[in-house]
């Protein structure tokens, strides 16, 4: 890797700004990783014909996943998916998805 | 949010990273990358690799991510059967890397990797570049084992297409089907397990039958199968009978399906020690498979055909620092599918980001869904949710998953056909959008 570049004033300013900003909170939490597997079908760009999930209300997510799992909400495939997650996992997913913004 | 703001600020003051890595002159879509952050190289821009590249940047915008892929346009294998059936175009299964570069900040390099040096953490390309990585993700798909059956070689694929990597091969098979006279025989040789896209051969037979029914209804389809049963078998066979009568004949390995030799010149398969021969008008030989060439060459398969990985992270158990995802990997109960590869890309991306943060890897829980069309209005599916078991393998969660119900009405089959197309739009947006 070749990083040797002349530091201009702009870069120095940028580096100073970076020193002030907290280091990247680059850690993936379980809720985010679990939710990522939903995005395969339920694109976060809201393309496709599966219902979009961006900003989906937390409690509604929990209740709908439970309804798919217990059969009270009819489904073609979500009944088979919803049964694969614990109540705790569903809450993690619901918490994370509720934070998504377009 | 902090990260994004900082990135924008860096861009505004002109810290472009175009020259931070030696050999970037060949970047097809070079984009500004922050000069800080570890460098992750992703080999292969299919379902696994493109997902991994995108989610690395999504999870940790400061990372430098380079995706190396030889093609400017990638044709998805899923959906290619619909092209063979005549109700989708090649354009509809074409994907490009523009959004990965422009929206997500991935450096996309159009080149092919000729060598990986795990000790030096370096990648060499056909274009003459050498690039160093902190982490490497490999998603090289499959390679074909043409040495498994005598009488046919890779050089025959122009005349006897596999069409198991989409693109020109799909076009060749489609034009052969179009040129075939009514009353002809389409013969498909389906591989033994494991192979890419377990329901794929049977969706292909369905789509070809759909085309024949409309264009050349006296034609026949014979599947010579190198196994005794196949994915969603009951649903496929019921659908074939319902829509296509006896047009499709399936022969398992015990009834002549185990092809032992191919007379390529005469488009004829030979099985049962020569007792059974089948003459095709169009022959679709799908060879047995192994991990993609660069994975084999790097020694990531050990003594086998596929790459063993730690199934919690997809890091190779042979070369630490290299993660193998998608069809090339051994991923417990997960099938070799685009959907699996997509989710494995997210797991590997998260594992690398958390390793850089000094955190323990997460215990993944993930899913697969495979839709198959029997007609354009009749689809079936298989789904599963996977979690890490005590023995370290990814296993299906009990009580979840399974196939579409056997007794579903036509309206449910039609709904699943609509969702099949929706799945395609969704997954391709998730990967390349």
């Amino acid at each position: 890797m070749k990083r040797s570049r002349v530091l201009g004033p702009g870069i120095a300013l940028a580096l100073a700004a970076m020193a002030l900003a907290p280091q990247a909170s680059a850690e993936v939490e379980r809720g985010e990783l679990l939710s990522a597997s939903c995005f395969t079908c339920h694109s976060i760009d809201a393309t496709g014909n599966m219902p979009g999930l961006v900003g989906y209300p937390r409690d509604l997510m929990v209740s709908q996943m439970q309804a798919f799992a217990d059969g009270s909400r009819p489904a073609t495939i979500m009944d088979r998916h919803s049964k694969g997650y614990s109540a705790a996992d569903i809450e993690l997913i619901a918490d994370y998805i509720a934070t998504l913004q377009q | 949010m902090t990260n994004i703001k900082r990135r924008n600020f860096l861009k505004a003051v002109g810290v472009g990273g175009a020259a931070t890595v030696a050999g970037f002159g060949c970047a097809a879509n070079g984009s500004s990358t922050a000069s800080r952050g570890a460098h992750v190289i992703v080999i292969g821009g299919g379902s696994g690799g493109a997902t991994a590249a995108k989610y690395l940047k999504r999870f940790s915008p400061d990372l430098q991510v380079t995706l190396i892929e030889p093609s400017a346009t990638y044709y998805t294998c899923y959906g290619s059967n619909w092209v063979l059936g005549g109700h989708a175009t090649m354009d509809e299964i074409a994907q490009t890397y523009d959004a990965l570069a422009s929206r997500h900040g991935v450096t996309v390099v159009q080149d092919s990797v000729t060598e990986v040096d795990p000790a030096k953490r370096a990648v060499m390309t056909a274009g003459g570049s050498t690039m160093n990585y902190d982490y490497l993700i490999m998603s090289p798909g499959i390679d074909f084992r043409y040495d498994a059956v005598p009488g046919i070689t890779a050089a025959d694929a122009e005349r006897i297409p596999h069409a198991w990597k989409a693109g020109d091969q799909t076009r060749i098979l489609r034009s052969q089907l179009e040129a075939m006279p009514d009353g002809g025989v389409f013969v498909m040789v389906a591989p033994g397990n494991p192979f890419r896209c377990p329901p794929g051969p049977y969706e292909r037979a369905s789509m070809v039958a759909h085309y024949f029914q409309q264009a050349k209804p006296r034609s026949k389809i014979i599947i010579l199968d190198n196994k005794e049963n196949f994915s969603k078998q009951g649903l496929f066979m019921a659908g074939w009978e319902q829509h296509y009568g006896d047009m499709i004949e399936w022969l398992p390995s015990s009834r002549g399906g185990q092809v032992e030799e191919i007379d390529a010149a005469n488009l004829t398969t030979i099985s049962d020690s020569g007792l059974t021969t089948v003459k095709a008008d169009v022959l679709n030989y799908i060879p047995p498979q192994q991990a993609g060439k660069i994975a084999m060459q790097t020694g990531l398969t050990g003594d086998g055909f596929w790459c063993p990985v730690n199934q919690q992270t997809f890091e190779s158990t042979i070369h630490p620092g290299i993660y193998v995802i998608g069809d090339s990997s051994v991923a417990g109960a997960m099938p070799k599918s685009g959907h699996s590869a997509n989710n494995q890309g997210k797991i590997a991306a998260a594992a690398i980001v958390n390793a850089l943060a000094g955190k323990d890897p997460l215990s993944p829980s993930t899913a697969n869904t495979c839709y198959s069309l029997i007609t354009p209005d009749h689809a079936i599916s298989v789904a599963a949710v996977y979690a890490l078991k005590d023995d370290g393998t990814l296993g299906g969660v009990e009580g979840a998953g399974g196939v579409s119900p056997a007794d579903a009405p036509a309206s449910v089959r039609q709904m699943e056909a609509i969702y099949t197309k929706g799945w395609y739009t969704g997954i391709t947006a998730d990967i390349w959008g």
Side-chain angles (χ1 to χ4, degrees), chain A residues 53 56-75 78-79 82-83 85-95 97-98:
Chain A
L53 297 180
Y56 203 97
R58 181 198 178 280
D59 293 349
L60 192 62
M61 176 67 73
V62 172
S63 70
Q64 294 310 294
M65 286 291 278
Q66 282 166 350
F68 282 133
D70 68 23
S72 55
R73 178 171 170 182
M78 279 309 298
D79 49 342
S82 57
K83 290 178 190 140
Y85 299 91
S86 67
D89 280 347
I90 287 174
E91 291 193 5
L92 286 177
I93 292 171
D95 284 338
I97 285 179

Side-chain angles (χ1 to χ4, degrees), chain B residues 299-315:
Chain B
L300 289 161
T301 52
D303 296 329
F305 291 117
W306 307 100
C307 305
V309 296
N310 172 341
Q311 293 175 24
Q312 184 171 6
T313 59
F314 285 83
E315 184 171 15

Side-chain angles (χ1 to χ4, degrees), chain B residues 263-287:
Chain B
D263 177 354
N266 294 303
L267 300 183
T268 297
T269 64
I270 299 157
S271 41
D272 290 341
S273 306
L275 291 175
T276 304
T277 59
V278 181
K279 169 88 174 76
D281 292 288
V282 174
L283 179 56
N284 174 209
Y285 174 62
I286 307 168

Side-chain angles (χ1 to χ4, degrees), chain A residues 3 5 28 30 36 40 49 80, chain B residues 35 342 346 354 363 381 401:
Chain A
R3 291 180 191 275
R5 304 184 87 200
V28 184
R30 184 169 163 79
T40 309
N49 58 11
R80 291 177 260 159
Chain B
S35 56
N342 163 261
K346 296 164 186 172
N354 283 357
S363 180
S381 60

Side-chain angles (χ1 to χ4, degrees), chain B residues 11-29:
Chain B
K11 266 184 200 164
V13 298
V15 183
T20 50
V21 177
F24 268 24
C26 54
N29 291 299

